[in-house]
Amino acid sequence: MNRKQFFQNGLIVGTTLLPTDSLFAEAAVHGGFDKLTDSEGNFVLQSLPYSENFLEPFVDAETMHLHYTYHHGGAVKGANKDLQMIKKALDENNLETVDFWTKKLAYHFSSHVLHTIFWTNLSNKQTSPKGKLLSYFEKNFGSFDKLKLYLTSTSKNVDGNGWGIMGYQPYSDSLVVMQCENHEKLTQWGVIPLLVIDVWEHAYYLKYKNKRNDFVDAIFPLLNWDNVALRLDNALLLSK
Ligand code: MN3
């Protein structure tokens, strides 16, 4: 079984174990988990999983439009260019600037990954963590409330632009909270991101101005815990 088949089989198991998580589960079964590339390996920008006004009034449609089209879209374009430049350097045996493009790729590709996850982590329907996800919260943080305090505090206090992230760390079989600067800094190797909160100014400035804390507080009730649970299930399958 190759990696892709493993992934797809894993998902089918994952989606039958959990209540169907709407569009995300459907996309997972039909197109693979977080489809970031086409069959040639080029990075592709998938459609948003909902309309641009889906999260109104908490996330306004204009912010959603600009964020998805130009920030996420720009990262996808950037990642493709970086990859081409690396290939070109290798083809031409000229490695003088390859470190620059490698650094750029880490930035753009990580942005593509995190934005892709971010859209699916949000919903206008109220959900709550249960089952296995809730048990991990209790085991690793004490309770859901503690996870909430930890994740929101970490997200609000990112230096400059970045992300608050909760992920699955397979080495310790635990959930971890991380602070990310830009899109790629301060990671822990091996962590599979399950839940990400974009705290770049572009994510909130039109509506919330300089009040990042208000944005994080407004977005927390929109988090789609069914999506996070599905992602945890998948991370557990992949880590076996
Ligand atoms: Mn963003």
Side-chain angles (χ1 to χ4, degrees):
M1 191 185 289
N2 65 29
R3 185 180 150 78
K4 195 173 174 190
Q5 286 163 332
F6 174 77
F7 228 161
Q8 281 167 348
N9 288 351
L11 270 158
I12 290 159
V13 174
T15 50
T16 53
L17 285 174
L18 287 160
T20 307
D21 180 27
S22 65
L23 290 164
F24 177 73
E26 222 176 279
V29 172
H30 294 116
F33 204 69
D34 295 332
K35 197 165 159 22
L36 301 182
T37 57
D38 63 17
S39 55
E40 323 259 270
N42 302 304
F43 301 116
V44 286
L45 181 65
Q46 296 295 319
S47 311
L48 267 180
Y50 35 67
S51 61
E52 288 174 351
N53 62 3
F54 184 71
L55 301 172
E56 287 266 16
F58 307 103
V59 181
D60 58 288
E62 188 182 8
T63 295
M64 186 60 95
H65 175 72
L66 297 171
H67 195 173
Y68 164 74
T69 311
Y70 299 105
H71 294 281
H72 186 179
V76 172
K77 281 189 193 141
N80 279 320
K81 178 174 181 184
D82 306 334
L83 200 57
Q84 272 171 17
M85 295 306 281
I86 292 166
K87 281 182 184 153
K88 186 165 177 267
L90 292 172
D91 285 348
E92 294 173 357
N93 215 16
N94 177 1
L95 302 183
E96 210 161 305
T97 57
V98 82
D99 61 320
F100 172 81
W101 295 109
T102 300
K103 186 172 161 180
K104 285 284 194 196
L105 180 61
Y107 176 89
H108 286 132
F109 177 67
S110 300
S111 171
H112 185 21
V113 171
L114 294 177
H115 281 106
T116 300
I117 296 171
F118 183 54
W119 310 131
T120 70
N121 279 161
L122 299 171
S123 173
N124 63 8
K125 271 189 305 187
Q126 188 106 37
T127 58
S128 55
K130 42 193 176 285
K132 201 182 295 167
L133 181 62
L134 190 58
S135 316
Y136 270 94
F137 289 161
E138 286 162 359
K139 192 170 69 175
N140 300 141
F141 308 113
S143 66
F144 174 49
D145 281 345
K146 297 252 187 201
L147 173 272
K148 178 181 174 179
L149 285 171
Y150 185 16
L151 182 61
T152 52
S153 163
T154 301
S155 303
K156 288 172 182 176
N157 292 303
V158 170
D159 285 340
N161 284 316
W163 300 76
I165 298 178
M166 187 195 72
Y168 176 70
Q169 171 56 273
Y171 299 116
S172 55
D173 182 29
S174 62
L175 297 180
V176 294
V177 167
M178 299 187 300
Q179 207 172 41
C180 171
E181 291 172 8
N182 288 349
H183 305 293
E184 77 290 20
K185 295 177 184 172
L186 305 181
T187 188
Q188 292 180 23
W189 302 117
V191 168
I192 300 169
L194 308 177
L195 170 58
V196 300
I197 300 177
D198 191 338
V199 293
W200 278 65
E201 285 187 347
H202 66 231
Y204 60 85
Y205 214 83
L206 286 183
K207 184 175 171 71
Y208 296 88
K209 307 292 183 251
N210 57 324
K211 297 194 168 109
R212 180 195 276 176
N213 289 0
D214 290 356
F215 168 68
V216 172
D217 289 334
I219 215 171
F220 199 86
L222 305 179
L223 296 177
N224 182 348
W225 298 106
D226 294 343
N227 179 265
V228 179
L230 191 62
R231 289 179 175 281
L232 173 62
D233 243 36
N234 208 56
L236 289 168
L237 276 164
L238 281 175
S239 308
K240 267 182 188 163

